[in-house]
Every structure is written in C-alpha cells, then in structure tokens.
C-alpha cells in the first residue's frame, strides 16, 4: 500500500522543505512507479532524500546497502531524530547483536535497515529475507559494485544475489560514475525483466571555480588562499604527519586551523568535526578520512596540496565547496615531484602477489587461527600492532589488506563499533560466597543475570547505557565496576571500542592455495593507471577549461567553457590584452 500523502507532503512533514532539489522528484517518482533507478548525482545533491521519501510512502522497510559505517550511524540517528525508526547491521557486531537487530527489523515496524555489504552474503542475513517486507533495495555508493569503478569492493557483488531474492525495486545512487561504470552498475543490478532508468544530474557547478597552480612553496600559496578567500575551508593531504605540520604552520601564521585524520581517536575526530561545522575552526587540514557525509553548505574553498589519485576522488572532494550555490574555489597545487610520487604510489598500491599471500598467512598466524578454520570470524585489528609484531612496513601492509579485500578473502572495515562483552565465569551457586570489595558489584551482577540469561554460558554483548540506567550509575562508574569484577575473576570483560575490523570470508587456506586472481590484479592496476594518467592530464592542462575537462571525463561531452577557472580567465585576459594592443 502506498501512502496517500504526496512526496512534497512527506518532504515538508519530515524535513521541513517546501520543494525538492533538481532531479530528486524525478528519481522519487520513478521509484514509486516501481522502476529500477540509477541516480548519478554530484556530491551535495541530496541523495538520501531520493530513497528516504519513497520508502516512507510505502509499506515495509528499505534495505540500504552502504560501506561507510560512520555515515550509516549518522543517518540512522538523523532518521530517529525525525521520529522514523531505523536500524543498522555492520562489521564489529556479534552474531547475537545482528540476530537481534534483524529480528527487530522484521517485527518492529522499522522503515530503514542499513546494512554494510559484507553482511549481505551471510547465512544469518539471508535467513531473514523471507520475513523482511522490503519496499526498496537501496544501493548507496553504487560505483563500488563495478570493477571499472575507482573504489571497487567485492562485497558489493552480493547485492546482485540479494536482488534476485527480493521482490522490490532498486534505487542505486552514486556521485561519481563514468558511462562505463554506470552501464556496469545497471547490468549487475538488473533483474532481467525490468530495465533500469538512468537519471543523471548535470555535473556542472557554475559557482565553483577550479584553479590549478604549479608551485614549490605550497604553504605560502595556501596562506594566500586562506587570506584571500573569506569563509571556511578544507585542505587535503595524503599523510597524517603533513596534516599536523601544515595545521601548525597555519596557526603560527594567525589562521584558525586544526587537523583531522584516522590516527585520532573517534571522540576527538567527532569533536573537531563538530567544531569545524559550527565555525569554531575555520580551516580543517585533513586526509580523505574527512568530509564524507558532512552537510556544511558554506565551505568557500577546498584546497588539494597534491593531486588526488583519480578524477573521481578529486571531483567528490572538491565538490564539498559551495553547496549553498555561492562563489567558491577548488584549488589544486602541484609540482614535478608530485607526479613522480603518484607513479611510486601506484606501484606501492599493488604489492607483489607473493607479498599479499604472505600477509594473508600472517593475519591468521597473528590471531592463532589454524588451517581450515576461521570462516565468519570478526577480528579487532590494529595495523600498528600487526606491523610492529612482524616488523613490516605500514603502507605496504595497508595496500595488501586492501587487495585481500578486493579479491574477496576478507572485508576490512575501519572505524567499526565493537560493543562491550561480558561472561560470568563463576558458577551461579558460588557467586554469593565471593567477598566483593565494592557492594555495588552485587547489584551489577544481579542486573547482568536478569538482563542477559545466557551470560553464564557464553560472552554476550552488553548495552552500557541501558545497563547503567538499570543499575542507577553512570557509564564511567559502570565500566569501573565491570573492570573490578574482572580483576576478581568473576567475569570476562571485553571493553567496547572503535576499531578496524577484519571479517574472514572463508577458512584459512594453506600457502599456495590462496587464489589472488592475477587477472583481476592486472585489470585493477591497469584501471588505476588510467585514472592516475587522467589526473596528470588535468593538472597539466594548459588550454581549454578545467570544468569542461572533468565533465567530459564523466561523459558529459561538449560543455562550454565555465568562464571562471584559471584557464578560462587566463584566455579572457589574453584576449583583452590583444584588444588593448590593437592586435585583434
């Protein structure tokens, strides 16, 4: 049954807006008509509304596949703040937590179930598909399903299999898809009878001026940008230490700046992001870990102090400037050394297959996993500890893990939530013979026994907020009591954490039996080189138009000059000079 309200009514009720942005209404109408839709919309185009509105207008729930755990949790929180029930299943959750969440999704009047792609192929998830009344299958970051895409993830191939088991239209969304990638997405998600409708926004951003500068003193040039362009900004660099050094340089020059990268703990990252969003920090110097899903419309400039890996990555990051439609700038600085480093980075990104095979074995050795075991295990992973243990280079291991992910042996999920887990290790009859140093421990144990019946037989995930409320204490005090009980050898206590998580797709294979798919390896490396060369062509461009170059790359051919990029302005200035000299 479809809701009698119109899409505009739903938009007004839940979001408070009177009208849709360009393309949103067409996508929503096609989805409500039962069409499979591929929506290609630039960063900041409002993709989430395109599936959230139609899902609210139909019975059942929308399954939303997305690889970004932080965004998944943000969207769930955002929906719940609007009175819309939403749940999520992702890496880092125990089987019991996943089972409970899926049960709530099936029987709890839920409208959105967000799922990370590695969960799609599990037997537990598939077992619930018959009882989940699915209104739409939504595929966010849909370019991840294509091997031609710049961020291919094999787990996304499970979406095609799920699609065959679910009688619901597909809404696939991406901000970056070449014509080749778009065609591949539609073929992989097609259900045979119902052809896809591709709806593509104009990627042109008339208010965004692209500027490229070849220079040696990048810090000085950036300072000119900061002082010449009022408003907030983002500065992208590859390396964490350089982010810290550049932020310190800007602060020393009197600029309001800070840095952000994955080396900061989750709470500190969240604090800095929020301070930047509200204007307490003007310029954020960061790696590409920053910016995904942030809705800050008044970013006046995005500066790259070295070329991005691909036009897709650059277009997405630069597109975070000027979402409010006002004049903004995408500035890229480069020099000859950057091009040499890009070549080196490409080689580093594809370590020898023998090295990747060795890292595969070392992962299992590190966790003590014997041959022919390990399938389905979720492992809390520290890259620093792993590299230190085996005396390995961090960057090489990181790229080896990425390829093991791309070849389907593991899923590597950064910034996953791992819940607090507890098991009572003393027999129930002996508990009251224990002389507890803190009387509150008795009450906590009683709460644990009432709330988690299986806690004597196996380790169970514990909801700290709910448990602390029942026990009448704060979360910090609860953690101290749990730690105290573990010191008394009454419980096994694993504190919750934010961590990288490895998910093992199969049992450990013996050396020589790990299929690393040499053909795929060469294919992915060849495509990465093509994207790198396209980026080199962009920065090296000496005539024409920057914006038109990018539009052409994404299949929007024949665009007129933007009139505002450095090349267009240079050409106009040259014409004016010739007119002044009487040469034309």
């Amino acid at each position: 049954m479809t809701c009698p309200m119109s899409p505009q009514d739903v938009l007004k009720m839940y979001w408070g807006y009177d009208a849709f942005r360009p393309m949103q209404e067409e996508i929503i109408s096609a989805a409500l008509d039962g069409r499979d839709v591929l929506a290609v919309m630039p960063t900041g185009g409002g993709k989430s509304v395109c599936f959230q509105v139609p899902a609210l207008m139909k019975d059942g729930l929308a399954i939303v596949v997305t690889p970004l755990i932080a965004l998944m949790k943000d969207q769930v929180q955002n929906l719940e703040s609007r009175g819309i029930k939403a749940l999520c299943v992702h890496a880092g959750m125990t089987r019991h937590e996943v089972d409970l969440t899926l049960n709530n999704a099936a029987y709890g009047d839920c409208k959105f179930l967000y799922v990370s792609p590695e969960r799609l192929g599990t037997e537990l998830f598939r077992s619930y598909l018959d009882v989940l009344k699915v209104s739409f299958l939504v595929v966010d970051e849909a370019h991840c399903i294509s091997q031609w895409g710049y961020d291919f993830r094999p787990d996304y191939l499970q979406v095609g299999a799920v699609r065959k088991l679910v009688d619901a239209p597909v809404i696939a969304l991406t901000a970056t898809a070449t014509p080749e990638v778009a065609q591949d997405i539609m073929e992989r998600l097609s259900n045979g009878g119902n052809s896809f409708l591709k709806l593509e926004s104009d990627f042109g951003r008339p208010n965004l001026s692209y500027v490229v500068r070849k220079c040696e003193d990048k810090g000085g040039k950036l300072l000119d940008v900061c002082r010449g362009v009022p408003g907030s900004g983002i500065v992208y660099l590859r390396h964490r230490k350089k982010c810290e050094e550049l932020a310190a340089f800007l602060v020393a020059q009197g600029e309001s700046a800070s840095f952000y990268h994955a080396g900061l703990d989750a709470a500190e990252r969240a604090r800095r992001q929020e301070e930047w969003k509200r204007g307490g920090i003007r310029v954020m110097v960061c790696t590409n870990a920053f910016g995904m899903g942030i809705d800050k419309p008044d970013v006046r400039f995005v500066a790259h102090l070295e070329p991005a890996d691909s036009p897709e990555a650059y277009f997405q990051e630069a597109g975070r400037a000027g979402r409010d439609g006002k004049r903004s700038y995408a500035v890229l600085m480069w020099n000859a050394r950057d091009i040499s480093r890009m070549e080196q980075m490409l080689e580093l990104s594809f370590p020898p297959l023998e090295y990747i095979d060795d890292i595969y074995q070392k992962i299992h050795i590190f966790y003590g996993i014997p041959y022919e075991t390990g399938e389905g295990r979720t492992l809390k992973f520290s890259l620093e500890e792993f590299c230190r243990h085996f005396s390995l280079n961090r960057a090489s291991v990181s790229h080896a893990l990425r390829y093991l992910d791309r070849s389907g042996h593991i899923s590597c999920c950064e910034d996953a939530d791992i819940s607090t887990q507890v098991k009572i290790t003393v027999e129930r009859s002996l508990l009251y013979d224990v002389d507890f140093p803190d009387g509150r421990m008795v009450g906590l144990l009683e709460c644990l026994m009432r709330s988690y019946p299986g806690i004597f037989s196996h380790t169970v995930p514990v909801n700290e907020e709910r448990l602390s409320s029942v026990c009448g204490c704060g979360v910090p005090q609860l953690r101290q009591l749990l730690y105290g009980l573990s010191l008394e050898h009454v419980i096994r206590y694993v504190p919750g954490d934010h961590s990288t998580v490895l998910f093992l797709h199969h049992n450990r294979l013996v050396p020589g039996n790990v299929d690393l798919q040499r053909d795929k390896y060469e294919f992915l490396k060849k495509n990465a080189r093509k994207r790198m060369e396209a980026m080199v062509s962009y920065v090296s461009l000496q005539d024409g138009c920057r914006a038109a170059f990018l539009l052409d790359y994404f299949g929007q051919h024949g665009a007129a000059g933007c009139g505002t990029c450095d090349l267009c302005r240079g050409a106009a200035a040259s014409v004016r000079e010739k007119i002044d000299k009487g040469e034309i």
Side-chain angles (χ1 to χ4, degrees):
M1 184 180 74
T2 302
C3 169
M5 298 173 68
S6 71
Q8 288 82 359
D9 292 335
V10 174
L11 182 72
K12 182 68 174 177
M13 173 183 286
Y14 289 105
W15 283 271
Y17 299 134
D18 293 314
F20 288 101
R21 295 182 188 178
M23 285 288 298
Q24 287 179 330
E25 197 163 6
E26 294 94 318
I27 295 164
I28 291 166
S29 296
L32 289 172
D33 287 342
R35 296 292 304 271
D36 290 334
V37 183
L38 170 61
V40 185
M41 304 172 70
T43 301
K47 294 192 292 295
S48 58
V49 165
C50 296
F51 66 82
Q52 289 170 350
V53 168
L56 289 170
M57 296 179 66
K58 292 190 72 173
D59 285 343
L61 62 77
I63 295 176
V64 185
V65 182
T66 178
L68 304 165
I69 295 174
L71 293 192
M72 179 190 297
K73 290 185 287 189
D74 282 349
Q75 288 210 7
V76 167
Q77 186 176 18
N78 189 278
L79 287 165
E80 290 185 336
S81 71
R82 301 177 193 279
I84 302 164
K85 187 169 181 183
L87 296 166
C88 60
V89 171
H90 54 74
M93 295 173 68
T94 65
R95 179 184 172 86
H96 177 76
E97 288 176 300
V98 173
D99 195 8
L100 185 62
T101 302
L102 291 174
N103 192 274
N104 287 338
Y107 304 111
D109 195 29
C110 179
K111 292 303 295 181
F112 295 92
L113 175 62
Y114 285 77
V115 184
S116 57
E118 77 282 347
R119 292 290 181 182
L120 297 175
T122 62
E123 184 179 340
L124 180 58
F125 179 80
R126 296 284 180 90
S127 70
Y128 272 92
L129 285 177
D130 288 339
V131 292
L132 292 171
K133 185 177 180 182
V134 182
S135 57
F136 294 98
L137 178 59
V138 180
V139 188
D140 196 15
E141 306 294 334
H143 57 271
C144 293
I145 203 172
S146 172
Q147 291 192 61
W148 297 99
Y150 79 105
D151 196 18
F152 169 63
R153 304 188 184 201
D155 290 330
Y156 259 71
L157 298 176
Q158 297 290 341
V159 181
V162 170
R163 201 275 144 89
K164 290 178 171 56
L165 301 172
V166 171
D167 183 21
V170 169
I171 305 174
L173 307 116
T174 179
T176 48
T178 63
E180 190 174 46
V181 169
Q183 185 60 35
D184 198 22
I185 293 169
M186 292 187 287
E187 288 176 1
R188 290 183 182 277
L189 294 177
S190 173
N191 206 18
N194 190 7
S195 62
F196 260 86
L197 175 64
K198 178 185 174 185
L199 293 172
E200 187 170 19
S201 290
D202 181 0
F203 275 45
R205 295 282 303 279
N207 66 305
L208 186 57
S209 298
Y210 293 96
V211 178
V212 175
R213 290 286 181 261
K214 187 175 183 180
C215 59
E216 297 300 324
D217 181 15
K218 295 180 180 180
K221 185 62 69 176
L222 175 64
L223 200 56
D224 290 342
V225 173
C226 292
R227 291 171 175 170
V229 181
S232 65
I234 305 174
V235 181
Y236 283 108
L237 283 162
R238 291 180 188 273
H239 301 292
R240 298 176 183 180
K241 187 165 182 60
K242 287 186 178 180
C243 290
E244 297 176 16
E245 292 170 349
L246 186 62
F249 165 77
L250 291 176
V251 170
Q253 298 299 316
E255 296 295 326
S256 168
S258 186
F259 64 87
Y260 180 109
H261 55 61
L264 298 168
D265 65 53
E268 182 60 20
R269 292 202 305 273
R271 187 191 70 78
R272 294 188 187 199
Q273 178 173 296
E274 190 56 38
E275 192 172 357
W276 176 79
K277 283 172 67 176
R278 64 178 176 80
I281 296 170
R282 181 183 170 226
V283 180
M284 186 65 77
V285 185
C286 54
T287 62
N288 61 7
F290 183 79
M292 294 295 286
I294 294 176
D295 186 18
K296 184 172 170 62
D298 60 344
V299 177
R300 295 278 71 88
F301 68 89
V302 171
H304 286 75
L305 265 64
E306 48 207 346
D309 292 330
S310 66
E312 290 95 332
Y314 180 69
F315 190 78
Q316 190 171 65
E317 290 162 8
R320 291 172 186 145
R323 293 185 183 181
D324 57 5
K326 297 179 181 178
R327 176 59 53 199
S328 304
Y329 300 87
V331 183
L332 192 157
M333 302 169 203
W334 71 287
N335 55 43
R337 289 190 302 279
D338 290 327
I339 306 304
S340 299
R341 277 195 291 268
M342 289 175 76
E343 183 69 43
Q344 293 166 3
M345 283 297 298
L346 179 65
E347 293 304 317
L348 183 65
S349 298
F350 289 88
L353 290 175
E354 296 75 18
Y355 178 84
I356 297 171
D357 191 307
D358 184 54
I359 295 300
Y360 170 88
Q361 296 297 339
K362 281 183 166 62
I363 291 169
H364 293 80
I365 293 167
F366 190 62
Y367 291 97
I369 300 172
Y371 295 118
E372 303 305 326
T373 65
E375 181 175 0
R377 283 191 60 177
T378 298
L379 310 172
K380 179 182 172 182
F381 183 76
S382 166
L383 181 61
E384 288 77 12
E385 289 179 19
F386 182 82
C387 292
R388 187 165 52 246
H389 181 82
F390 292 107
S391 300
L392 296 168
N393 176 270
R394 177 192 168 113
S396 299
V397 172
S398 180
H399 290 298
L401 290 174
R402 181 174 173 81
Y403 186 74
L404 286 169
D405 187 317
R406 285 179 155 198
S407 53
H409 295 288
I410 66 171
S411 291
C412 182
C413 304
E414 295 184 359
D415 207 24
D417 270 332
I418 301 172
S419 41
T420 294
Q421 298 179 45
V422 176
K423 179 184 178 183
I424 299 178
T425 54
V426 175
E427 289 184 29
R428 188 188 295 264
S429 59
L430 301 177
L431 270 180
Y432 297 99
D433 295 333
V434 179
D435 184 18
F436 293 106
D438 187 329
R440 294 177 298 173
M441 291 178 176
V442 177
L444 173 56
L445 282 169
E446 289 175 348
C447 286
L448 286 167
M449 288 185 283
R450 285 198 306 269
S451 303
Y452 304 98
I455 199 166
F456 284 93
S457 349
H458 55 269
T459 304
V460 298
V462 168
N463 185 320
E464 291 184 338
E465 286 76 14
R466 190 171 72 82
L467 189 62
S468 65
S469 175
V470 171
C471 293
C473 65
V475 171
Q477 290 77 27
L478 174 72
R479 291 172 179 166
Q480 288 177 0
L481 291 171
L482 289 170
Y483 181 63
L485 285 170
S486 72
L487 291 178
E488 296 295 320
H489 306 289
V490 173
I491 66 170
R492 180 183 299 132
Y493 168 48
V494 182
D497 198 4
H498 250 36
S499 176
T500 295
V501 164
L502 302 183
F503 183 85
L504 305 184
H505 287 290
H506 53 70
N507 289 331
R508 181 183 175 186
L509 302 168
V510 299
N513 278 6
V514 184
D515 182 11
L516 292 175
Q517 306 164 40
R518 185 173 294 275
D519 288 347
K520 175 181 282 187
Y521 177 91
E522 298 297 341
F523 175 84
L524 293 172
K525 187 173 182 179
K526 178 182 177 183
N527 280 346
R529 177 169 292 281
K530 283 173 62 177
R531 289 191 291 273
M532 182 199 79
E533 290 171 350
M535 200 65 216
V536 172
S537 296
Y538 174 78
V539 301
S540 305
L541 202 64
Q542 295 185 9
D543 53 38
C545 171
R546 304 278 181 200
F549 179 97
L550 292 170
L551 292 174
D552 186 72
Y553 180 86
F554 289 108
Q556 296 186 3
H557 306 300
C562 68
T564 64
C565 73
D566 59 315
L567 296 178
C568 285
R569 292 202 313 272
S574 177
V575 169
R576 286 195 299 272
E577 184 180 348
K578 289 181 179 180
I579 291 173
D580 291 342
K581 291 180 178 179
E583 295 176 5
I584 55 174

